[in-house]
Amino acid sequence: MKLARFFLTGIVFGIVLTKAEAVSWYRIYEMFHFQSFHMFGIIGMALFTGVLGIQLIKRFKIKDFKGFPIQIIEKEKGFWRYIIGGTLFGLGWALVGSCPGPIFILLGTGTYAIAVVLIGALLGTYIYGLLKDKLPH
């Protein structure tokens, strides 16, 4: 029962993404062809919200739902790993027409072909788990 609020939050988030058309293949297609600002606006607002949220957590020492302080670990500075990782993520997103987040939302809307993407994402995650110790981080 403690996790019910997170499940409910996920449902609301899915409804918001669907109503904002952020899960629409056509909107993603428009974004990658620079034909519409719609998705860039959504991503920009998500970025702004995330930066603001992190700053509020750091400044006011906000605690998690169990009462423990939230610890934000600083990452190593890097360039190529972000360029390579971002490029792979973007290529996958462009080829599939969906980022990983809306996969379950699309399944819920009856877009069952996205199950192939879900299987690919799970397989890719599994392979990464096998190879992560051998990869440069």
Side-chain angles (χ1 to χ4, degrees):
M1 205 54 192
K2 290 181 180 181
L3 299 178
R5 62 181 158 179
F6 298 109
F7 184 71
L8 184 61
T9 302
I11 290 173
V12 171
F13 184 64
I15 291 169
V16 169
L17 284 180
T18 303
K19 290 296 187 182
E21 296 182 1
V23 298
S24 167
W25 180 88
Y26 298 105
R27 289 290 186 183
I28 294 167
Y29 178 83
E30 289 175 337
M31 176 186 71
F32 282 111
H33 281 94
F34 301 102
Q35 296 173 340
S36 173
F37 179 75
H38 187 86
M39 288 299 291
F40 292 112
I42 291 172
I43 293 168
M45 283 305 297
L47 182 63
F48 173 77
T49 304
V51 168
L52 180 65
I54 294 295
Q55 292 307 312
L56 290 172
I57 289 169
K58 287 180 175 181
R59 185 159 299 152
F60 297 110
K61 299 183 181 2
I62 296 175
K63 298 181 185 250
D64 67 9
F65 71 100
K66 291 184 178 179
F68 297 112
I70 297 174
Q71 297 178 356
I72 299 171
I73 300 167
E74 297 294 326
K75 293 186 176 186
E76 291 179 32
K77 300 288 185 211
F79 178 76
W80 287 110
R81 62 181 169 179
Y82 296 115
I83 295 297
I84 294 168
T87 301
L88 289 173
F89 183 81
L91 285 172
W93 195 8
L95 289 171
V96 171
S98 174
C99 83
I103 290 174
F104 294 105
I105 298 167
L106 289 167
L107 280 173
T109 62
T111 309
Y112 298 118
I114 204 74
V116 175
V117 176
L118 176 61
I119 292 167
L122 292 173
L123 183 62
T125 303
Y126 177 75
I127 291 170
Y128 172 76
L130 293 175
L131 299 176
K132 74 177 179 178
D133 293 333
K134 296 175 181 144
L135 297 172
H137 284 94

